[in-house]
Amino acid sequence: MFTARMRRTAIAGAVLVGAGLALSGATAAQAAVGGSLPAGSTVCTERTRSAQGIAFYGSLQAPVSGVTATWTVHASSTADGPETTLLRLPSREPSTTYLSWPGTYYYRLCVTNSVTVTGTLRFTFFAQGSGGIGGFGPATAVLGPAGSYCGLETSVPARLTGTSTVPVRWSAEVGNFNAEFLRTEQYGTSAGIDRLLTPGADEIFQVCVTNTGATTATISFDLTSP
């Protein structure tokens, strides 16, 4: 488990104010995710532990009308235990959706592109209240050709590990605590990665993976303490 992803608290206020939400929803267990999802592709967050449930909002924009995505929330009583599906929501752009069970659970959100064209994905997934902790287990994706997923973040040294069923391009988008873009770091194209990320002062790395091949890639990647 790796929980020192400082950016999530730092920028949550700006994200949540824009959505008209209370700042009490901003915790270290917040994931701001983006990417490009070809038809049939799915991305899933890491697990977030919360005693007060989770919430999410976002969009999958595609040049077609009607439903464009399926948003699915899973929960488990342990960090690596079997999951129960709590919600399946078909929506192009879900407004803030809250979900909880009584007690402490580990929640995960998956988004599937359910139409026949590529969509641009943006969403935020966060623990309600205080005390939520993210960083349990890997983020995963099933990406069609040219699909991409940018998710896990760190502002402190961390070990990036990942695997894919076909070679994919690994990279990191680097920004600062004012949400200003600084640069892109490229880590090459391969079916696996094991690399130390070393953000500088006032730098945040967001890990991205892109399927540059002609077949579907099944991907798992994680950030852990070095």
Side-chain angles (χ1 to χ4, degrees), residues 39-60:
S41 296
T42 298
V43 300
C44 296
T45 66
E46 60 197 340
R47 296 186 187 190
T48 292
R49 186 176 72 195
S50 175
Q52 297 175 278
I54 54 86
F56 68 89
Y57 59 91
S59 67
L60 183 69

Side-chain angles (χ1 to χ4, degrees), residues 171-196:
S171 63
E173 298 293 297
V174 183
N176 61 24
F177 285 100
N178 292 321
E180 297 168 330
F181 174 77
L182 301 178
R183 65 184 184 279
T184 299
E185 292 205 351
Q186 299 289 350
Y187 304 137
T189 299
S190 65
I193 191 169
D194 187 342
R195 184 185 184 98
L196 180 64

Side-chain angles (χ1 to χ4, degrees), residues 96-120:
T96 305
T97 302
Y98 300 91
L99 198 65
S100 66
W101 274 357
T104 299
Y105 287 90
Y106 296 79
Y107 295 90
R108 185 169 64 103
L109 173 66
C110 297
V111 185
T112 300
N113 182 351
S114 53
V115 295
T116 58
V117 297
T118 296
T120 300

Side-chain angles (χ1 to χ4, degrees), residues 77-171:
S77 59
T78 61
D80 56 0
E83 294 177 312
T84 297
T85 300
L86 301 185
L87 174 71
R88 283 192 178 92
L89 175 65
S91 177
R92 173 190 292 268
E93 190 170 0
S95 58
T96 305
T97 302
Y98 300 91
L99 198 65
S100 66
W101 274 357
T104 299
Y105 287 90
Y106 296 79
Y107 295 90
R108 185 169 64 103
L109 173 66
C110 297
V111 185
T112 300
N113 182 351
S114 53
V115 295
T116 58
V117 297
T118 296
T120 300
L121 176 67
R122 297 286 185 273
F123 71 82
T124 298
F125 173 70
F126 56 95
Q128 296 190 65
S130 61
I133 301 175
F136 294 90
T140 61
V142 178
L143 295 177
S148 64
Y149 178 26
C150 294
L152 306 183
E153 298 175 335
T154 183
S155 62
V156 298
R159 181 185 176 198
L160 167 63
T161 57
T163 60
S164 174
T165 53
V166 299
V168 292
R169 185 174 70 234
W170 306 91
S171 63

